[in-house]
């Protein structure tokens, strides 16, 4: 079985919050407008929960400042991709 891409894994996390229609969620659509479930706006606890799941899923640490900049699926994918890149010194 092929390994899931970063995008597929992020979309899966969005579906956990947004429901089955999350798979059709556009990469540039504002994520926090809908992620609270039942079409509700996300509150701060939803965002914290989502960030914790994101960190667990990818084994990365996301600072509060970075989390504040994440507004859509594409920005989440880009940040995770950046964090999974090897350090410039090879460590």
């Amino acid at each position: 079985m092929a390994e899931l891409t970063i995008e597929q894994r992020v979309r899966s996390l969005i579906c956990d919050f947004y429901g089955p229609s999350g798979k059709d969620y556009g990469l540039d659509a504002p994520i926090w407008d809908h992620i609270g479930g039942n079409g509700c706006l996300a509150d701060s606890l939803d965002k914290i929960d989502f960030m914790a799941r994101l960190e667990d899923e990818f084994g990365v640490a996301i600072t509060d400042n970075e989390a504040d900049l994440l507004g859509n699926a594409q920005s989440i994918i880009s940040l995770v991709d950046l964090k999974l890149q090897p350090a410039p010194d090879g460590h």
Side-chain angles (χ1 to χ4, degrees), residues 21-83:
S21 61
K23 67 180 171 34
D24 299 322
Y25 199 78
L27 291 178
D28 294 326
I31 193 169
W32 305 124
D33 288 351
H34 304 286
I35 211 168
N38 297 323
C40 299
L41 295 176
D43 63 21
S44 59
L45 292 179
D46 291 323
K47 291 178 184 179
I48 291 168
D49 187 22
F50 184 84
M51 288 302 138
R53 290 180 189 213
L54 188 66
E55 289 175 327
D56 288 346
E57 173 70 22
F58 292 99
V60 298
I62 298 173
T63 67
D64 290 342
N65 289 339
E66 290 169 330
D68 288 342
L69 297 174
L70 301 177
N72 57 41
Q74 186 60 59
S75 63
I76 294 168
I77 293 165
S78 295
L79 178 65
V80 169
D81 186 50
L82 179 67
K83 289 195 168 276

Side-chain angles (χ1 to χ4, degrees), residues 5-32:
T5 65
I6 292 171
E7 179 180 339
Q8 290 169 324
R9 292 165 66 188
V10 167
R11 284 186 177 275
S12 178
L13 288 173
I14 291 171
C15 285
D16 287 348
F17 282 84
Y18 191 58
S21 61
K23 67 180 171 34
D24 299 322
Y25 199 78
L27 291 178
D28 294 326
I31 193 169
W32 305 124

